[in-house]
Amino acid sequence: MNARSPHPAPLSHERLNHPRSLAAFRTTKLLATGYLAISVATLAVIALLRNNTSAVNDAVWTRGGFVVLSASVTCLCAARAARGSRGAYRRLRILSGVMVPVIALIIALPGTFPLWMKTDQGLCGLVLLGIVATVNGKHLRELFAGR
């Protein structure tokens, strides 16, 4: 017989609206929105510089589109986690945790991306580090642990 653990109890309204929870969710949503704003602005710059082959190549277009998608999912997950979704919280932790080393790799790759894009990615990485620190903090981990 397959012994599955029972689903954790739903988050209580009281714990979800605790001042520490609200502050953590507010910080996470603010950082995620900032990540999305930077990403959309970057894609706009890519479009404006599209005829400058030294500033925009195929890798820049691909990365720019992927970052907007990633930032959109990050914002969605942050909003859903703030409403108590354990799945969204888990996806937020995974996505933000994976994107930081990916950005570090992009910055370290020689020649693939222009300096302006690496600088932009560094800024996105710093914002994502804030998200990683917040969602992996003790309070939110305990909140979503199902105790």
Side-chain angles (χ1 to χ4, degrees):
M1 179 190 261
N2 186 3
R4 295 179 67 176
S5 62
H7 293 290
L11 297 176
S12 72
H13 180 75
E14 180 181 303
R15 291 185 69 207
L16 198 56
N17 290 295
H18 184 278
R20 289 181 65 196
S21 300
L22 293 174
F25 292 135
R26 186 173 35 256
T27 298
T28 302
K29 290 190 294 185
L30 181 65
L31 289 168
T33 301
Y35 178 39
L36 181 59
I38 293 166
S39 303
V40 169
T42 300
L43 197 58
V45 168
I46 291 169
L48 289 172
L49 297 176
R50 68 185 171 272
N51 294 325
N52 182 343
T53 56
S54 64
V56 176
N57 58 29
D58 289 341
V60 169
W61 273 107
T62 302
R63 180 68 190 159
F66 179 74
V67 173
V68 169
L69 178 64
S70 165
S72 299
V73 171
T74 301
C75 277
L76 179 64
C77 288
R80 291 193 66 221
R83 291 192 304 268
S85 169
R86 281 187 172 86
Y89 171 71
R90 186 174 43 254
R91 285 186 288 280
L92 183 60
R93 286 183 70 193
I94 292 168
L95 182 61
S96 61
V98 166
M99 288 305 294
V100 171
V102 168
I103 288 172
L105 178 65
I106 285 169
I107 292 170
L109 283 174
T112 306
F113 296 96
L115 181 60
W116 75 268
M117 181 72 161
K118 290 182 180 197
T119 303
D120 168 79
Q121 288 297 284
L123 181 58
C124 287
L126 291 174
V127 172
L128 282 167
L129 279 174
I131 294 172
V132 168
T134 304
V135 299
N136 288 294
K138 183 179 178 183
H139 182 75
L140 288 186
R141 281 186 294 114
E142 287 178 352
L143 177 67
F144 284 100
R147 296 180 198 165

